[in-house]
Amino acid sequence: TIQYGTLTDDDGTPTFALGVRNPDGDAPDDLTFQRGDKIEFRLVNVSNRTLTTGNEHKFNLQLQTETGWEEVRGTTDDADRLPYTDIGIGQPPGEGFTWSFELSESGLLAGHPHEDDLTICPDLQPGRYRFAYWGVPDGHLAAQFDYTD
């Protein structure tokens, strides 16, 4: 299942929050970005105890289409799946991950351990996108934004 904003445990207690922002601080409530803009996603443990996540590379970048959400990153060869480690990372309260990207085809892949095996396909196009992190317990945590060319 995919949750937006805040993930809760079985008791309804918030565990992790995921947000999106413009790191340049131009308009914190405006979630519309253009080609070349910087975008930042921040996952934070909002509980009062240390919680475990997977590694920081367990995310999808998806475009909303008429048929549903489609991953915009794909492999450049015939490999069906890319390997990811199955390690647990302890996240103390207030800690987590931050991902920063330039909104361009090369900027969305820069620094990823599989950068040479990935491509953006099709090229970025205007629409609603979401960043979904799948390294949290019990599902995915996502944040949405709009992209204009």
Side-chain angles (χ1 to χ4, degrees):
T1 61
I2 292 194
Q3 298 290 323
Y4 291 93
T6 303
L7 186 67
T8 58
D9 63 16
D10 292 338
D11 297 329
T13 303
T15 55
F16 288 99
L18 179 66
V20 57
R21 70 182 200 98
N22 176 340
D24 295 330
D26 293 340
D29 295 329
D30 184 6
L31 298 180
T32 300
F33 297 84
Q34 298 178 350
R35 176 172 294 281
D37 282 351
K38 301 275 191 265
I39 191 168
E40 183 176 279
F41 302 93
R42 175 89 172 116
L43 176 78
V44 178
N45 175 353
V46 293
S47 78
N48 60 5
R49 66 190 192 284
T50 297
L51 299 172
T52 303
T53 66
N55 71 53
E56 69 271 22
H57 303 296
K58 293 184 173 186
F59 67 85
N60 296 97
L61 183 62
Q62 301 169 324
L63 170 65
Q64 189 173 34
T65 69
E66 291 179 9
T67 59
W69 291 99
E70 303 271 338
E71 174 67 37
V72 299
R73 299 174 309 155
T75 57
T76 56
D77 60 23
D78 294 331
D80 289 338
R81 295 182 146 279
L82 296 172
Y84 287 90
T85 60
D86 195 20
I87 61 170
I89 298 173
Q91 304 287 1
E95 298 295 318
F97 296 124
T98 300
W99 298 268
S100 297
F101 303 100
E102 175 189 286
L103 283 172
S104 66
E105 288 75 11
S106 61
L108 290 171
L109 301 176
H112 192 280
H114 300 295
E115 178 178 355
D116 294 337
D117 299 316
L118 292 171
T119 189
I120 301 295
C121 183
D123 285 347
L124 288 175
Q125 55 191 304
R128 169 68 50 109
Y129 285 79
R130 75 178 176 192
F131 176 94
Y133 179 67
W134 47 275
V136 290
D138 302 322
H140 293 61
L141 188 55
Q144 297 182 31
F145 65 96
D146 292 312
Y147 173 79
T148 60
D149 221 5

